[in-house]
Amino acid sequence: MSSVDGPDAGQLPGNLDETVALILQLYRPDSHGKVAKIQETLQKLQRSSFGWELAYSLREHPSEEVRFFAALTFTVKLNTDAKSLSPEDAVVLLQTLVTWLIRCVENLEKPLVMRKLCSTLVAYFFQFSATWERCIKHLMYCMCIKVAIPYVDLDREAPETMTLVTDILDTRAVAIFWFATSLVEEIGKTDSTSMKQHKFHQRVVPNVEDIIPLMSKYLNVDPQKPIEGPIRAEALKCFQAWVSYSHRAFIDDAIVLDPLRTLTKPAVMCLADDNLYETAIELFTEVLSNFSKFLSEDDFELLYTLFDSPWAQERYQRLIQGDFDFESIQFGLFTIAFGDANLQDLARKAATESRYENFLSALGGLFEAEGYAVHEDKIFVPALEFWSTFVENMIDDIYSVEGQHPPWFAAAQVHVNRAIDRCWRKLQFPPSEVFNSWDSVDRTGFKDARRDFGDLLQQFYLVSGLPLLEIFIKKAHTSIENKRWAELEVSLYCLSVFPDSVSEDPLRDEYLDQIFNASIFSLFANQDNGIPLRTVQSFILLINGFANYFSQNPTYLPNALNIVFEATASPVLSHRAASTILSLCSDCRKILLPELGAFLQQYQTFTMNSPITSVRESIMEGIASLIQAIPDDQSKITPLEQLLSFIDIDIDRCIQSMSSIQVPMTLKDPGLPDTDFSALDLGLSALRCLAGVGKGLQAPHDQPVDLEEKESGSTFWTSGPGSGVQQRIFNMVAKVFDVLGTEGDIVDAACYVWRQGFRELEPGPFVMRPSMVAEFLLKSTPQTPRLGCVIGTACSFVTSHKSGPGIDEVLEIVLNWVSQLLQAQGEPSNDPEVAQNGIDFLTRLLPKYLNALMSHQPSSLEFLFMFTLKAITGTDPLPKIAASDFWTTFIALSNQANEFQDSVDNVLRYLGPLLAKALIFNISGHAARSELDKLSEPLKKLVSVQPQSKSWIEGALSGESFTSTKVTPKDKTIFLQKITLLRGAKGTNQVVRDFWLACRGSNFAYAS
């Protein structure tokens, strides 16, 4: 062993010298690679039976690092092995720690060791609080006399606290502050269960009368007798910690630490001290934000006076002038927190009292701070949050008070309107070169701030109504007159947040007529005007939001479509433009139907000059919605075939690309750089466009549904003239799937096409015959990626299909396919998603297609039932929940046809005991807490429906699968009696939770 390197980091030291050498190795510059192993070795040593002896031996070592380790070791032993100490040992330990702390103070020990030693004493309090209740006074007295007396002698020997406070030296007071601060900080982190069990609040409260005089000594300063800044800072930090703790004490036990309030005024005075400013302002910002009840009316009066002072005015002006350093931001947050705490008074009294009027104006004035919002102006977002809360408060009042607005309402509206105007200016996009120079966090933050402003506008609309729109309409026109495109952009953006808010207002269109007029459309149609793309984007966003306006006011619908179609040529605007085309086509489908041919021609031109993106999908969906508006099915065939032919081109390219041994073909775009599109790109685009067509062909949501329509519906698309279209769609999906079915994205996209038909209430091109659905499903094998999605599609098919001829045969085929997939999987845990969806498929068959399940091949049916039981006893939550749902549904089956009811009863007689065993296995402690409610459902059904369930559950409770040793036979009997008597009532869930907790052990509980 090298005398330089010390002991091997992986083995325990053999003596004290080796231990010291190992500790010192942690602090060597060349020990970085060994740190983890050294720490592991030292932690083993700390937790060993020699830990106490080690700590005692090292506390007087000359090395600061070693002394720190000694204090740390005492802490570790107190937290893990305090029970090994006898009462006498505990007294000796306290004596030792206090003596050590006194020596540290006298020797001017550095903070590293002293702070750790203070936290060690806090750890001692956690373990022995009952025998060290007046811990602060005990420490204070020992410090004053420089001797650690036994705690039991405190009342007999120590004078009054005020005498100790008067005599204590600053250096000793610092140690007391460190201990008192750490004490309440650590107790504040304790979970509520431990807090109640150990009565920590009751132990801490007596110390308030001891620490307050000490804090007061250093916070109430006589100008004639100045005190050094550092000791005052420690006193203030201690006060901050105790105020924060008082909030926790109030929440937990309604304990009010009133004496702390006597220090509020001197703490406020600390704000003006540059050395104490940071701690003081953090203290009051926290109190105002989280525990404003701590402050009295006099405290608020004092703070109002402070904000009126030259000191506050100077700091406010620095902030407004663009000083966003840490101290300025703290002042801004403090101002906002004060506003939040006085929200009601500010709203109600601003109209009549200048103090509130001035402060509310100052809060609005925060939006006038120099610099770009978010990137430079860091107070903008907190200020915006304040005004959002202010508006929410106004809304609460108008909905809680009937009749007219209260008298203060008009003045509050003026302030909000002023704040909105300043936000409008602040949220104009900077020039592109400036915005693009920001980092991604600031760019995202700026956009998020605009969205938050939009939320505020939507809220304020509830109290202001349509005149709010008029504000931005006027701003838009003024911006156009002055050609201020950034102002125009933010005005249009603000208008775009209102579609949902104004949708029911009969006067909406009168206001929108002012923005959707000939001059506006002419402006955006003329590219020579040099309008930035971002402004165009906001105009397109506005059109998109108010697409239904054009269905009632179609005059400028062609103008809107021309602009958005033109925008599809821009990579920046294309996605938004395509979405807007979809909205216009969907909302104005009947008006635009005569232009269907022009749309098809426009799309053909578009595909020749655009890359493969989601833009195509949106436009196709829009065109398909026009086809949906054609009143008769026969007339839909020709345009639909033409639309599908565009998709077929991509599918053919995909097939060619896959069959070619050369590099996948490249689509040349004359308007863009050459781009290679793989077979996967082409296939995905084709399937997504096909799904878009399927969505577009669905009936509008607001179209009335004929509830008396016959279930069978029309056969036009399945066996009539439209069947060729349906077969074509099937072939298109199959072609892509056959060549790219090993790609997960292709599987997802293909399934999504099928789901479009499942969503429809009426027959259509995508509402396939059951046999076609089954043919597609059977293409998937155990090797198919995302198999859970395919089985999930089968689930959707079962749920959505209406009864009809041939469905039983198809379901028999699909069920056999599902069974084979699950058998190939073996265990539910091998692929939880497949297991979940497979079991969900079985549940979807019930009760409508019970015959399909019970007529299934016996050996396969037995496997399926056993598979669900394995899922219940497994560890994966999703299959377990699915299996619980299956058995809940299956047990509840009744009044079925005789032969099927007999089959159900036979299954339950045979598998009932196994189901009971699986459920009790979980309830006895193996389930997660979140799974208990789901597992309770089949248990409740068993108890309420099956007469033999009691004996089954009793057998499970006494069987080998019940592994918990923490409950007695009597506990099991009581549990059985309770759930039997409840007979499936809701209270069963609580009984199950209580029994599960007992099986886990009484100490198992969530920390509150």
Side-chain angles (χ1 to χ4, degrees):
M1 181 185 304
S2 170
S3 61
V4 176
D5 291 340
D8 179 63
Q11 66 183 40
L12 290 178
N15 54 51
L16 193 62
D17 290 339
E18 290 185 355
T19 301
V20 170
L22 201 57
I23 295 169
L24 294 175
Q25 273 191 340
L26 280 175
Y27 301 95
R28 287 184 183 173
D30 60 345
S31 65
H32 296 302
K34 303 176 183 179
V35 167
K37 186 171 287 187
I38 294 173
Q39 287 179 331
E40 181 182 355
T41 302
L42 291 175
Q43 286 170 3
K44 289 180 182 178
L45 197 61
Q46 287 174 321
R47 295 175 184 273
S48 71
S49 57
F50 302 105
W52 292 113
E53 180 183 348
L54 176 66
Y56 276 104
S57 301
L58 297 177
R59 73 187 192 280
E60 296 183 9
H61 195 277
S63 168
E64 181 185 21
E65 290 84 1
V66 176
R67 295 196 300 276
F68 176 86
F69 182 81
L72 177 61
T73 303
F74 274 124
T75 303
V76 171
K77 295 303 291 183
L78 281 165
N79 289 333
T80 60
D81 197 27
K83 292 181 180 179
S84 69
L85 297 175
S86 67
E88 294 76 15
D89 292 335
V91 171
V92 172
L93 176 59
L94 180 59
Q95 295 284 98
T96 301
L97 295 175
V98 174
T99 300
W100 187 8
L101 184 61
I102 293 170
R103 188 171 65 251
C104 286
V105 173
E106 295 305 309
N107 295 338
L108 301 178
E109 177 73 82
K110 293 181 180 178
L112 177 69
V113 175
M114 284 184 62
R115 284 186 179 276
K116 176 50 67 176
L117 187 52
C118 287
S119 69
T120 302
L121 284 163
V122 170
Y124 182 92
F125 180 87
F126 267 73
Q127 301 300 329
F128 303 104
S129 58
T131 57
W132 199 38
E133 195 169 271
R134 296 288 292 275
C135 54
I136 291 178
K137 184 174 182 179
H138 180 236
L139 274 182
M140 205 183 305
Y141 180 58
C142 293
M143 286 286 183
C144 286
I145 65 173
K146 302 181 185 179
V147 176
I149 68 164
Y151 178 71
V152 294
D153 297 337
L154 179 67
D155 290 339
R156 178 171 52 83
E157 293 190 18
E160 293 297 321
T161 300
M162 286 304 301
T163 302
L164 297 175
V165 169
T166 302
D167 295 343
I168 198 167
L169 298 177
D170 291 355
T171 54
R172 297 167 187 169
V174 168
I176 302 298
F177 285 139
W178 284 351
F179 169 77
T181 300
S182 181
L183 176 68
V184 289
E185 285 179 345
E186 292 305 314
I187 287 179
K189 299 173 185 176
T190 307
D191 66 83
S192 296
T193 302
S194 298
M195 191 78 79
K196 293 176 182 177
Q197 182 179 352
H198 298 288
K199 299 181 180 179
F200 284 138
H201 287 315
Q202 289 75 12
R203 308 288 189 210
V204 170
V205 168
N207 289 279
V208 174
E209 62 187 68
D210 298 322
I211 193 61
I212 284 181
L214 186 62
M215 292 189 290
S216 178
K217 174 181 178 179
Y218 294 100
L219 293 179
N220 281 299
V221 178
D222 184 348
Q224 303 301 321
K225 299 178 181 179
I227 298 176
E228 290 186 5
I231 181 64
R232 294 194 72 204
E234 296 301 337
L236 189 59
K237 290 175 184 176
C238 188
F239 178 62
Q240 180 183 15
W242 278 81
V243 171
S244 179
Y245 165 73
S246 71
H247 187 202
R248 172 70 188 274
F250 179 78
I251 292 173
D252 285 352
D253 285 348
I255 295 173
V256 179
L257 303 181
D258 274 331
L260 284 172
R261 292 190 166 112
T262 61
L263 299 178
T264 304
K265 182 176 180 179
V268 171
M269 295 299 101
C270 293
L271 286 165
D273 187 327
D274 290 343
N275 295 319
L276 304 177
Y277 171 81
E278 184 176 330
T279 301
I281 204 162
E282 181 183 322
L283 160 64
F284 284 103
T285 301
E286 180 183 337
V287 170
L288 289 165
S289 299
N290 302 320
F291 191 29
S292 60
K293 290 183 179 179
F294 178 81
L295 302 174
S296 66
E297 289 187 14
D298 289 343
D299 295 331
F300 279 107
E301 287 295 319
L302 180 61
L303 288 171
Y304 267 119
T305 303
L306 177 74
F307 279 111
D308 286 338
S309 69
W311 172 85
Q313 295 299 319
E314 187 269 338
R315 284 196 172 271
Y316 180 82
Q317 287 303 318
R318 279 165 51 187
L319 181 62
I320 298 304
Q321 290 167 8
D323 179 358
F324 297 114
D325 66 10
F326 182 69
E327 287 191 358
S328 281
I329 294 298
Q330 279 192 311
F331 179 80
L333 295 175
F334 171 50
T335 304
I336 292 168
F338 187 74
D340 277 325
N342 289 275
L343 201 63
Q344 300 287 343
D345 285 345
L346 289 172
R348 289 164 175 73
K349 298 179 181 180
T352 56
E353 298 185 39
S354 60
R355 166 185 288 178
Y356 301 101
E357 158 73 19
N358 292 339
F359 195 82
L360 201 54
S361 296
L363 286 167
L366 291 174
F367 290 129
E368 294 190 326
E370 294 182 8
Y372 289 117
V374 179
H375 179 64
E376 295 168 327
D377 180 359
K378 303 299 182 182
I379 205 64
F380 178 85
V381 171
L384 183 59
E385 290 172 354
F386 166 80
W387 283 101
S388 296
T389 305
F390 188 87
V391 170
E392 289 172 6
N393 178 66
M394 294 177 67
I395 294 170
D396 290 341
D397 279 334
I398 66 170
Y399 281 108
S400 60
V401 180
E402 296 183 1
Q404 296 182 343
H405 293 330
W408 54 266
F409 210 80
Q413 272 189 297
V414 170
H415 280 282
V416 177
N417 280 324
R418 196 177 299 155
I420 286 174
D421 182 70
R422 290 164 173 165
C423 277
W424 171 83
R425 296 183 185 280
K426 200 74 173 172
L427 289 174
Q428 295 171 22
F429 268 102
S432 296
E433 62 275 11
V434 174
F435 185 72
N436 292 334
S437 70
W438 297 358
D439 62 32
S440 60
V441 174
D442 284 353
R443 291 197 302 269
T444 301
F446 185 83
K447 293 177 181 178
D448 288 343
R450 282 166 61 99
R451 279 191 286 270
D452 292 341
F453 180 51
D455 293 340
L456 183 151
L457 293 176
Q458 290 173 336
Q459 293 287 320
F460 192 53
Y461 175 83
L462 297 175
V463 300
S464 62
L466 283 170
L468 183 59
L469 268 73
E470 189 169 20
I471 292 174
F472 297 109
I473 291 171
K474 289 181 178 179
K475 287 181 179 296
H477 285 292
T478 302
S479 303
I480 291 171
E481 291 172 6
N482 298 316
K483 294 186 177 181
R484 294 175 179 169
W485 305 130
E487 290 184 5
L488 176 59
E489 185 279 329
V490 74
S491 301
L492 296 175
Y493 173 81
C494 290
L495 288 170
S496 73
V497 307
F498 292 113
D500 292 336
S501 303
V502 304
S503 60
E504 302 297 327
D505 196 307
L507 298 178
R508 180 199 71 165
D509 289 1
E510 292 183 19
Y511 283 82
L512 293 181
D513 287 344
Q514 301 174 51
I515 200 70
F516 292 132
N517 56 39
S519 61
I520 296 281
F521 283 109
S522 175
L523 175 75
F524 281 95
N526 187 350
Q527 296 183 2
D528 294 335
N529 287 322
I531 300 176
L533 290 179
R534 196 179 296 281
T535 305
V536 178
Q537 186 176 41
S538 288
F539 186 56
I540 292 172
L541 179 66
L542 182 66
I543 295 172
N544 191 10
F546 288 106
N548 63 353
Y549 162 85
F550 294 95
S551 66
Q552 304 297 322
N553 306 273
T555 304
Y556 297 107
L557 178 57
N559 304 68
L561 284 167
N562 287 337
I563 288 172
V564 293
F565 264 110
E566 187 71 28
T568 58
S570 166
V572 174
L573 303 175
S574 59
H575 290 278
R576 179 69 66 190
S579 175
T580 305
I581 290 170
L582 169 57
S583 298
L584 290 171
C585 288
S586 181
D587 287 354
C588 309
R589 63 184 68 195
K590 292 184 178 179
I591 297 173
L592 294 174
L593 183 55
E595 305 300 323
L596 176 58
F599 273 90
L600 290 167
Q601 181 61 45
Q602 183 76 27
Y603 182 79
Q604 184 175 16
T605 303
F606 169 77
T607 56
M608 294 172 63
N609 297 288
S610 70
I612 295 174
T613 65
S614 59
V615 171
R616 294 188 176 196
E617 176 187 341
S618 297
I619 298 177
M620 276 210 164
E621 183 179 342
I623 297 174
S625 68
L626 303 186
I627 297 174
Q628 186 278 331
I630 299 174
D632 64 292
D633 288 339
Q634 183 65 50
S635 300
K636 294 178 181 178
I637 293 179
T638 299
L640 184 54
E641 291 271 23
Q642 188 175 350
L643 197 58
L644 294 177
S645 66
F646 297 136
I647 303 175
D648 259 333
I649 293 172
D650 284 342
I651 293 177
D652 289 342
R653 290 174 174 173
C654 171
I655 303 300
Q656 291 171 12
S657 180
M658 288 296 295
S659 61
S660 174
I661 59 174
Q662 300 176 358
V663 177
M665 76 180 301
T666 301
L667 305 182
K668 300 294 183 181
D669 180 0
L672 295 170
D674 289 352
T675 307
D676 290 341
F677 293 106
S678 67
L680 179 59
D681 294 329
L682 293 162
L684 274 176
S685 175
L687 291 177
R688 288 169 179 169
C689 286
L690 200 54
V693 173
K695 284 192 287 184
L697 289 174
Q698 293 169 14
H701 297 300
D702 56 355
Q703 178 173 306
V705 178
D706 185 1
L707 298 177
E708 297 183 357
E709 183 186 2
K710 295 180 181 179
E711 272 203 350
S712 59
S714 169
T715 60
F716 179 87
W717 296 104
T718 54
S719 57
S723 60
V725 174
Q726 193 169 92
Q727 186 64 51
R728 181 178 182 178
I729 294 170
F730 175 87
N731 292 340
M732 293 167 74
V733 177
K735 277 184 184 180
V736 178
F737 192 87
D738 288 344
V739 297
L740 289 170
T742 57
E743 299 287 344
D745 288 345
I746 291 292
V747 174
D748 279 345
C751 290
Y752 191 59
V753 174
W754 292 105
R755 290 172 186 264
Q756 303 314 310
F758 300 158
R759 293 189 175 101
E760 295 204 45
L761 298 175
E762 299 176 354
F766 284 79
V767 185
M768 303 288 177
R769 298 189 303 275
S771 59
M772 297 174 75
V773 177
E775 185 178 347
F776 167 75
L777 293 173
L778 266 60
K779 289 178 178 291
S780 294
T781 68
Q783 288 72 44
T784 299
R786 307 197 190 165
L787 191 55
C789 177
V790 184
I791 302 176
T793 303
C795 295
S796 300
F797 163 65
V798 173
T799 303
S800 64
H801 185 75
K802 299 177 181 180
S803 298
I807 185 63
D808 291 337
E809 293 79 2
V810 169
L811 289 179
E812 180 181 351
I813 294 170
V814 176
L815 178 58
N816 188 59
W817 168 73
V818 170
S819 178
Q820 290 174 358
L821 294 176
L822 296 182
Q823 289 180 52
Q825 180 185 356
E827 298 294 328
S829 59
N830 289 338
D831 191 331
E833 185 185 6
V834 170
Q836 175 205 359
N837 283 284
I839 296 170
D840 188 31
F841 178 80
L842 303 180
T843 307
R844 303 286 184 102
L845 294 174
L846 306 177
K848 188 174 181 180
Y849 301 113
L850 175 63
N851 60 324
L853 179 64
M854 302 312 295
S855 301
H856 190 54
Q857 182 182 355
S859 61
S860 178
L861 184 60
E862 181 180 1
F863 163 80
L864 293 172
F865 281 121
M866 295 305 297
F867 188 85
T868 62
L869 294 176
K870 287 182 180 180
I872 290 179
T873 56
T875 57
D876 295 294
L878 295 180
K880 182 179 294 189
I881 291 171
S884 298
D885 289 339
F886 168 77
W887 281 106
T888 301
T889 306
F890 189 83
I891 297 168
L893 292 172
S894 60
N895 301 320
Q896 304 296 318
N898 289 338
E899 65 273 20
F900 297 125
Q901 190 64 55
D902 290 342
S903 298
V904 170
D905 295 340
N906 286 334
V907 169
L908 289 174
R909 276 193 295 271
Y910 177 65
L911 295 179
L914 298 179
L915 175 60
K917 185 183 294 186
L919 294 173
I920 295 301
F921 173 80
N922 279 277
I923 294 168
S924 65
H926 292 278
R929 184 191 291 263
S930 59
E931 298 166 351
L932 293 176
D933 282 338
K934 276 292 183 181
L935 290 164
S936 296
E937 296 306 310
L939 182 67
K940 290 192 288 188
K941 290 296 181 184
L942 268 183
V943 172
S944 62
V945 173
Q946 288 296 317
Q948 296 174 283
S949 60
K950 183 175 181 179
S951 62
W952 296 342
I953 297 170
E954 187 174 19
L957 288 168
S958 59
E960 295 180 357
S961 60
F962 190 95
T963 56
S964 175
T965 58
K966 294 182 172 64
V967 292
T968 64
K970 183 179 179 181
D971 295 329
K972 298 178 185 179
T973 302
I974 293 173
F975 168 71
L976 180 59
Q977 289 174 345
K978 285 182 177 180
I979 62 172
T980 303
L981 290 173
L982 284 167
R983 293 190 59 79
K986 189 176 181 180
T988 304
N989 295 54
Q990 186 59 50
V991 173
V992 167
R993 280 194 291 271
D994 292 343
F995 188 67
W996 172 86
L997 193 60
C999 292
R1000 283 281 185 111
S1002 59
N1003 292 328
F1004 183 86
Y1006 284 132
S1008 300

